Amino acid sequence: MCRLENDIFKALADPSRRTLLDLLQESDGRTLSELCTHLDMSRFGVMKHLNLLEEAGLIMTRKVSREKLHYLNPVPIRQIYERWVSKYAEPWALQLTAMKSELEREPVMEHKPRHINRIAIRSTPEKVWQALTDPSMTSKYWYNGFIRSEWGIDSPYEILSPEGQVQAKGTIIAFDPPRRLVMSWQLLALAETAEEIPSCLTWEIEPHDEMEGVTLVTVTHDEFELSPHTSRILEGGLPVVLSGMKTLLETGTSLSGG
């Protein structure tokens, strides 16, 4: 078992840390003070647990004004599931495994709702960017859909099935290869999402500070307040997309073994 998996299992072994993950699953983007109210321990004790979760990659933090917000990162848990439970799952059935519907969430203070996913890939930012924008590569990990675009600010894009049906579409909002891509997102493949207003996906690609040859890929989904069905599906789907990208770049194969 690799060191990262050991760190994940160690982090999940403690009930207080599982409680913190449950709290972030229920409502993401919480401050330390908010999390402390749910645990019978000192502020320092909660900080220690959060640090262990962050070191294992199970949570992420973002500085917003003077506050440090904590977000659940579901990607490592998804990778554990793929290795130990199932090698492949039907993509749109993932919504059945979601622990909470976005419609059941209550907003925390006035923080903007968002889902953040991060994964480490043994590859270069340039190759990750190619995997994100090359139609022949996206078709191997993005639910069998290939992307089509002129790739520039304000350019439209589409994700199409092998039969040519448009599964998703949007507009390129920011384009900074190989570091950052921001795109509006409208999921057309399902009836309940096709009429919702577009949300936003932000891809951030950066070399790992401490591991040579490793690239960190962070995907943030936000602006989904009026798109609850899209939010729920991407909450389960984006970890699979990132895991598929990692598998493709590191092994040359898809999650299904093809």
Side-chain angles (χ1 to χ4, degrees), residues 16-237:
S16 295
R17 290 194 284 273
R18 293 198 299 272
T19 296
L20 288 169
L21 292 176
D22 287 338
L23 290 169
L24 294 177
Q25 171 64 29
E26 291 170 5
S27 187
D28 235 347
R30 299 198 187 203
T31 64
L32 174 61
S33 296
E34 291 176 85
L35 294 170
C36 284
T37 62
H38 297 273
L39 291 174
D40 186 20
M41 65 177 66
S42 68
R43 185 181 179 90
F44 180 70
V46 176
M47 287 177 61
K48 288 180 63 177
H49 284 305
L50 289 170
N51 287 337
L52 281 170
L53 290 171
E54 188 169 11
E55 289 172 3
L58 292 169
I59 67 170
M60 294 174 52
T61 59
R62 286 285 175 93
K63 194 78 172 179
V64 178
S65 299
R66 296 182 178 180
E67 294 182 323
K68 185 178 183 181
L69 305 184
H70 300 80
Y71 295 88
L72 177 68
N73 180 25
V75 175
I77 296 176
R78 181 69 207 183
Q79 290 179 283
I80 293 292
Y81 170 81
E82 286 163 359
R83 176 172 179 180
W84 297 103
V85 181
S86 174
K87 288 293 183 182
Y88 192 66
E90 288 297 328
W92 303 120
L94 289 172
Q95 56 187 300
L96 299 177
T97 64
M99 286 186 278
K100 287 289 183 181
S101 166
E102 187 64 31
L103 289 172
E104 296 174 345
R105 293 176 181 264
E106 295 181 2
V108 179
M109 299 175 64
E110 296 182 355
H111 304 317
K112 184 178 180 181
R114 63 182 66 189
H115 299 146
I116 302 178
N117 298 273
R118 174 177 288 173
I119 197 167
I121 301 177
R122 189 166 295 282
S123 187
T124 65
E126 290 76 14
K127 289 181 180 178
V128 170
W129 185 269
Q130 182 184 5
L132 181 59
T133 57
D134 185 334
S136 67
M137 299 184 74
T138 56
S139 64
K140 295 179 181 178
Y141 68 87
W142 199 301
Y143 296 145
N144 206 28
F146 67 92
I147 196 164
R148 180 172 66 188
S149 178
E150 295 297 324
W151 296 116
I153 295 178
D154 295 329
S155 295
Y157 75 88
E158 294 177 327
I159 295 180
L160 299 98
S161 69
E163 297 74 28
Q165 296 177 325
V166 180
Q167 297 177 320
K169 68 176 183 178
T171 302
I172 307 301
I173 300 170
F175 186 75
D176 181 22
R179 303 297 182 189
R180 187 169 182 266
L181 176 66
V182 183
M183 56 208 312
S184 65
W185 174 268
Q186 186 174 17
L187 184 60
L188 304 177
L190 301 174
E192 61 265 37
T193 63
E195 300 302 320
E196 291 185 330
I197 65 171
S199 53
C200 183
L201 286 176
T202 300
W203 300 77
E204 297 171 288
I205 303 167
E206 56 186 345
H208 197 292
D209 289 337
E210 300 176 0
M211 300 178 67
E212 186 176 356
V214 174
T215 298
L216 287 177
V217 182
T218 305
V219 186
T220 301
H221 181 221
D222 58 7
E223 299 184 14
F224 52 71
E225 292 88 339
L226 300 180
S227 305
H229 298 295
T230 299
S231 167
R232 185 178 67 250
I233 290 168
L234 287 191
E235 186 176 12

